[in-house]
Amino acid sequence: MAAQRGAGGTWLREILRRQRRHEARRDSLAAGHVRSPRLAEGTRKTPKTPKTPKKLANLTDPSSPAASSANAPSELVPHLSQDPFTSVLPSLSNFTLHALESLKFKYMAPVQKMVIPLLLSSKDVVVEAPTGSGKTVAFLVPAFELLARSSDTLDKTDIGSLIIAPTRELALQIESLSAVFSSHCSFPSHSFVGGSNETNNMRRFKELGGNVLIATPGRFIETISKKNLTGKGTSGIDALRSLQLLVLDEADRLLHMGFEQQLTRIFSLIPKQRSFTASDRTGLFSATMTSSLTELVRVGMRNPCRVAVTVKGKEGQALTTPVELSHYYMEVAPRQRLNQLIHLLITLKEKKAGKIIIFFLTCWAVDYFARILPKLKTCQGLHFVGLHGKLDQKKRSKAVEELRNSKEAILLCTDVAARGLDFDDISWVIQFDPPQDPDFFVHRVGRAGRMGRRGKSVIFLAPSEIDYIQMVESRNMKLEEIPCSADARDVLQEIRSLVREDRDLMRRGQRTFVSIGHGMSLGLLQLPYMRELLQAGATAKRRMLLLPGFEPEEIDLDSIAFKDAKREKERQEQLKNEEDERDKQAKKRRAARNAQSWSKKLDKMERRQKKKARKERVLTVPQVREEELSDDEIEQMRKEYALLKKMKKGKLPVNQLDQELDESANSL
Ligand SMILES: Nc1ncnc2c1ncn2[C@@H]1O[C@H](COP(=O)(O)OP(=O)(O)OP(=O)(O)O)[C@@H](O)[C@H]1O
């Protein structure tokens, strides 16, 4: 078994050693050594490789402002082109350049170099570029530039650029970057996202305006249809009459999340003449292009330019994730999965690896682990943050902020955080459960290794899931095995004691068990007989019952109390009421029985006896189809049946039955 292979920490030391080597190489580049960029601009132009040592020397001069800024020149960060934003023609406005300067962005990333001129010259674009390659700036710069270049004078509540994003977190993240541009010009940014207070939001929009509007689809449609949105007494939809640019970020996710209807509605809200003028554009951005996007392109775009930015691997093959991102897998039995996870987290903490993201399959799983992990003795000193789609917006935003502000937090999340979220210093992405949709592998791991930084990902696979590797590798990603550690402590008993102390935890664990179907790793006390399980259907139940390594514990689940005294009191009251009700019903049944007349009771007894006799007949007469038997066999059966009847009536002693049966068989 994989769990026995390899001593703990050896592979990790190797990985960390490689990382140090990479960093040392990067430092040597800073000292002026040549390295060619790996990021190729797929369909259009090949990147200019730095050739002249002189130019290199200038760019890497540690005393130059570029070298000292976070936006290191392209020799140091191979994801940036050689072209600064100042090279865009016609030139970008001063405010845009100032905003980029304040962000310390001097050189364009390849996707920016290709997309900005296209959008500025009235082209629709469909953009596919790897995770963390700089797509946001590629559409935000045109979003502001187009407004500055337009001959229309915009009122503050006229929406000139509209950016639709699939999740609230992503929309808010784009808004915060957009706000940097707004602070350098007179075009305000605003967001309409689900979960926020709509009335307050509309008031702020009316007061401060939102020429660049970032929104999630549902909330956008809800708000834009409001009559008093702009305070001008007309329909909010009028705010779209000067729309210059529509961007669908993570476009394939928008479709995947079932937003088709909303997107069609958004297209229909946009002024009709827009599709015939030369001054409007649509941009679709994603790290993965799926076939479902084709329909969207057909409905909403006119002859779009397709831009594909690809990463070249060592052998020149196109990669879907950055080269700096290394992928690993661990073959681990479900029962050991949590033990190995905790061991990995502790080892990474000791090595000061930094921030980590762990992906789980369901909201229940995130909720359960975010509660139970901090309580484990082995996890003391680890800082866990939970994020999933069922949390209210306040908690979701708080979780994102907590991760941003911490140096070594561990985010436990569902795929709500798989797309677009940009935390610049995630060192490891751990996939506790493989994603249901294989496309999400790319997006999940893409939270690390962004814009030239090193990152690592590991996916936990049960032996039965090992074929997943082939599927990932068919997408040009190489997965290396890291062995399980023999040093991992078993936390099952500790979890069981915690669960035993708090009914709330037990119930959350049960729901998690049902939601992801491999409960042994969760420390459940016994296979719960519960409604959810019954509803889960036969296949799911079978899957759970067949789990290898599951050791149920004999325990009365009703005896586990809530820690919260109020809830426990309510539960006890409910239990008491249920018991009283049961007693009442039993009493009622007894009374009804006693009240029956003797004749009725006799009838009932007779019916019962008849039923019993019928049952016995069924048991004693073999139920076979005559046509399947020969005449001799039927004769034999008749004889045997007659002997059995004789024995039953007491006319044939039991010890003679065998003899008689043998004789009857031989006589045939
Ligand atoms: N020109 C630039 N110079 C330096 N850093 C940049 C530049 N453009 C973007 N970045 C940084 O690169 C990181 C990734 O950018 P961004 O979030 O836009 O990537 P993305 O392509 O949208 O990724 P994903 O597909 O995961 O959403 C961000 O931290 C951003 O600040």
Side-chain angles (χ1 to χ4, degrees):
M1 171 89 56
Q4 268 73 50
R5 269 185 256 147
T10 326
W11 55 268
L12 190 66
R13 270 196 293 280
E14 172 58 19
I15 293 167
L16 292 164
R17 196 173 60 76
R18 282 188 218 166
Q19 176 158 5
R20 277 196 293 277
R21 218 168 47 207
H22 169 82
E23 276 153 13
R25 209 179 316 140
R26 218 170 53 179
D27 291 347
S28 83
L29 282 167
H33 300 294
V34 183
R35 185 183 177 194
S36 61
R38 283 237 182 90
L39 198 70
E41 296 154 37
T43 53
R44 308 212 145 234
K45 290 178 198 166
T46 37
K48 287 179 205 159
T49 32
K51 284 198 183 98
T52 53
K54 193 170 161 241
K55 196 175 171 195
L56 266 176
N58 278 344
L59 287 169
T60 53
D61 175 1
S63 62
S64 82
S68 60
S69 76
N71 180 27
S74 47
E75 284 79 1
L76 302 185
V77 182
H79 293 76
L80 296 180
S81 74
Q82 294 293 299
D83 304 285
F85 285 100
T86 45
S87 66
V88 176
L89 287 174
S91 301
L92 298 177
S93 312
N94 277 341
F95 79 82
T96 306
L97 293 173
H98 286 149
L100 290 164
E101 209 178 296
S102 74
L103 290 164
K104 299 192 168 50
F105 295 173
K106 185 175 179 185
Y107 294 88
M108 285 186 281
V111 68
Q112 295 157 1
K113 190 179 138 188
M114 294 163 75
V115 170
I116 293 171
L118 285 173
L119 282 176
L120 291 181
S121 61
S122 305
K123 297 276 194 311
D124 282 5
V125 291
V126 177
V127 182
E128 182 182 11
T131 52
S133 59
K135 293 185 283 295
T136 317
V137 168
F139 60 71
L140 272 184
V141 167
F144 282 88
E145 273 298 311
L146 286 168
L147 306 191
R149 291 176 190 203
S150 164
S151 52
D152 293 356
T153 324
L154 293 184
D155 193 79
K156 65 181 178 186
T157 52
D158 286 334
I159 300 166
S161 294
L162 172 63
I163 296 152
I164 302 289
T167 62
R168 301 166 188 180
E169 283 72 22
L170 183 54
L172 293 173
Q173 180 181 287
I174 299 170
E175 191 200 2
S176 65
L177 191 57
S178 180
V180 177
F181 287 86
S182 289
S183 67
H184 288 85
C185 64
S186 55
F187 303 116
S189 306
H190 193 78
S191 65
F192 290 160
V193 296
S196 58
N197 182 314
E198 200 180 6
T199 321
N200 281 349
N201 207 346
M202 280 170 54
R203 187 176 42 75
R204 273 186 44 232
F205 179 75
K206 231 180 280 178
E207 269 171 36
L208 308 170
N211 295 140
V212 175
L213 188 83
I214 300 103
T216 46
R219 179 54 71 90
F220 173 73
I221 291 171
E222 228 172 86
T223 317
I224 202 72
S225 320
K226 294 272 156 53
K227 260 214 158 128
N228 52 351
L229 179 67
T230 58
K232 293 175 194 158
T234 54
S235 159
I237 295 166
D238 284 349
L240 290 168
R241 65 170 189 267
S242 310
L243 193 75
Q244 300 275 331
L245 175 68
L246 169 67
V247 170
L248 304 183
D249 192 20
E250 302 291 349
D252 60 331
R253 176 87 201 270
L254 281 167
L255 290 181
H256 209 94
M257 284 174 73
F259 285 130
E260 294 98 316
Q261 267 187 2
Q262 281 98 327
L263 293 183
T264 316
R265 175 99 178 101
I266 290 171
F267 279 128
S268 76
L269 288 176
I270 287 164
K272 288 286 170 292
Q273 73 276 17
R274 184 180 177 276
S275 30
F276 302 109
T277 65
S279 62
D280 47 49
R281 303 105 193 125
T282 305
L284 250 65
F285 290 75
S286 185
T288 46
M289 280 291 148
T290 55
S291 49
S292 49
L293 274 181
T294 321
E295 183 56 18
L296 191 63
V297 171
R298 206 181 57 75
V299 181
M301 304 178 88
R302 305 146 306 168
N303 284 334
C305 290
R306 284 176 186 271
V307 176
V309 177
T310 51
V311 183
K312 295 275 182 223
K314 280 184 195 135
E315 285 94 43
Q317 78 280 27
L319 302 177
T320 25
T321 53
V323 242
E324 285 73 17
L325 197 50
S326 320
H327 307 292
Y328 302 90
Y329 73 92
M330 192 188 280
E331 184 182 340
V332 49
R335 166 72 177 79
Q336 294 299 329
R337 200 174 276 198
L338 190 59
N339 300 338
Q340 291 295 330
L341 172 76
I342 293 172
H343 182 75
L344 177 59
L345 295 178
I346 294 167
T347 319
L348 291 175
K349 162 109 179 157
E350 280 165 12
K351 307 278 173 197
K352 299 200 180 345
K355 292 183 211 177
I356 295 165
I357 299 188
I358 309 174
F359 284 100
F360 294 92
L361 202 58
T362 64
C363 299
W364 279 115
V366 171
D367 176 79
Y368 177 68
F369 285 113
R371 283 165 200 268
I372 205 130
L373 287 176
K375 293 188 172 39
L376 296 179
K377 282 191 208 93
T378 27
C379 291
Q380 292 314 303
L382 299 179
H383 176 188
F384 295 100
V385 181
L387 173 66
H388 59 79
K390 287 203 172 93
L391 286 178
D392 67 45
Q393 190 49 43
K394 241 189 185 161
K395 286 188 182 147
R396 279 166 72 160
S397 304
K398 191 168 163 259
V400 170
E401 272 323 291
E402 218 172 312
L403 184 67
R404 272 196 215 293
N405 298 333
S406 157
K407 279 206 165 65
E408 48 176 26
I410 300 166
L411 183 75
L412 313 179
C413 60
T414 54
D415 281 330
V416 75
R419 291 283 194 122
L421 283 195
D422 182 48
F423 302 101
D424 59 7
D425 43 5
I426 301 295
S427 60
W428 279 78
V429 168
I430 301 172
Q431 303 193 55
F432 189 78
D433 302 301
Q436 266 174 336
D437 176 351
D439 278 339
F440 268 78
F441 185 94
V442 172
H443 297 285
R444 283 176 167 194
V445 299
R447 297 314 100 209
R450 296 172 78 74
M451 213 27 104
R453 293 179 191 95
R454 296 287 282 178
K456 305 200 170 41
S457 86
V458 59
I459 182 164
F460 288 175
L461 296 170
S464 59
E465 293 167 332
I466 216 72
D467 286 350
Y468 200 87
I469 299 169
Q470 269 177 12
M471 200 273 301
V472 173
E473 293 194 336
S474 71
R475 293 168 186 228
N476 281 334
M477 283 174 277
K478 189 97 199 88
L479 292 183
E480 269 179 62
E481 181 174 11
I482 51 177
C484 289
S485 169
D487 300 339
R489 269 193 55 195
D490 191 353
V491 291
L492 187 76
Q493 286 314 323
E494 196 183 346
I495 293 190
R496 285 184 167 180
S497 347
L498 285 167
V499 165
R500 221 180 258 126
E501 281 164 19
D502 189 356
R503 187 172 191 80
D504 184 55
L505 267 182
M506 179 200 79
R507 284 174 45 167
R508 287 174 196 276
Q510 285 179 328
R511 286 182 189 129
T512 308
F513 175 89
V514 172
S515 72
I516 63 177
H518 47 74
M520 321 78 72
S521 52
L522 314 182
L524 290 172
L525 296 168
Q526 60 174 240
L527 192 63
Y529 187 77
M530 51 190 168
R531 233 171 307 146
E532 291 95 318
L533 201 56
L534 291 175
Q535 284 162 0
T539 329
K541 268 188 277 174
R542 214 172 22 247
R543 234 178 82 207
M544 288 179 218
L545 289 165
L546 289 177
L547 289 173
F550 181 76
E551 307 129 22
E553 195 159 298
E554 284 308 320
I555 188 160
D556 173 13
L557 293 184
D558 277 346
S559 68
I560 299 176
F562 282 114
K563 254 192 176 163
D564 179 346
K566 195 172 157 230
R567 284 182 80 184
E568 182 54 21
K569 195 173 161 220
E570 277 167 16
R571 187 178 81 94
Q572 290 301 342
E573 274 167 15
Q574 196 186 338
L575 282 177
K576 171 109 190 27
N577 289 343
E578 279 169 13
E579 204 182 317
D580 290 351
E581 183 60 24
R582 268 198 305 275
D583 283 353
K584 218 161 105 186
Q585 293 302 332
K587 258 188 205 156
K588 243 188 191 170
R589 277 197 302 275
R590 262 200 310 276
R593 252 200 322 270
N594 291 340
Q596 269 177 3
S597 65
W598 266 107
S599 61
K600 267 192 181 171
K601 277 182 190 168
L602 278 175
D603 278 357
K604 208 170 171 183
M605 271 166 73
E606 238 170 64
R607 274 203 308 278
R608 265 194 204 152
Q609 264 166 359
K610 273 185 191 162
K611 205 171 160 189
K612 202 172 157 199
R614 263 204 310 276
K615 255 191 194 164
E616 274 176 6
R617 261 206 308 282
V618 169
L619 286 174
T620 47
V621 182
Q623 299 291 297
V624 284
R625 293 209 309 274
E626 286 208 354
E627 64 269 21
E628 288 171 4
L629 300 169
S630 67
D631 289 348
D632 283 346
E633 282 169 323
I634 293 168
E635 186 51 35
Q636 165 72 4
M637 279 177 63
R638 279 211 188 98
K639 280 186 175 172
E640 284 176 6
Y641 184 48
L643 286 170
L644 280 167
K645 257 171 117 179
K646 228 167 135 184
M647 186 208 75
K648 255 190 127 183
K649 284 182 184 162
K651 292 181 185 165
L652 179 69
V654 183
N655 51 8
Q656 268 185 34
L657 181 68
D658 275 351
Q659 202 185 329
E660 293 275 349
L661 284 173
D662 283 345
E663 275 172 18
S664 104
N666 292 337
S667 69
L668 285 166

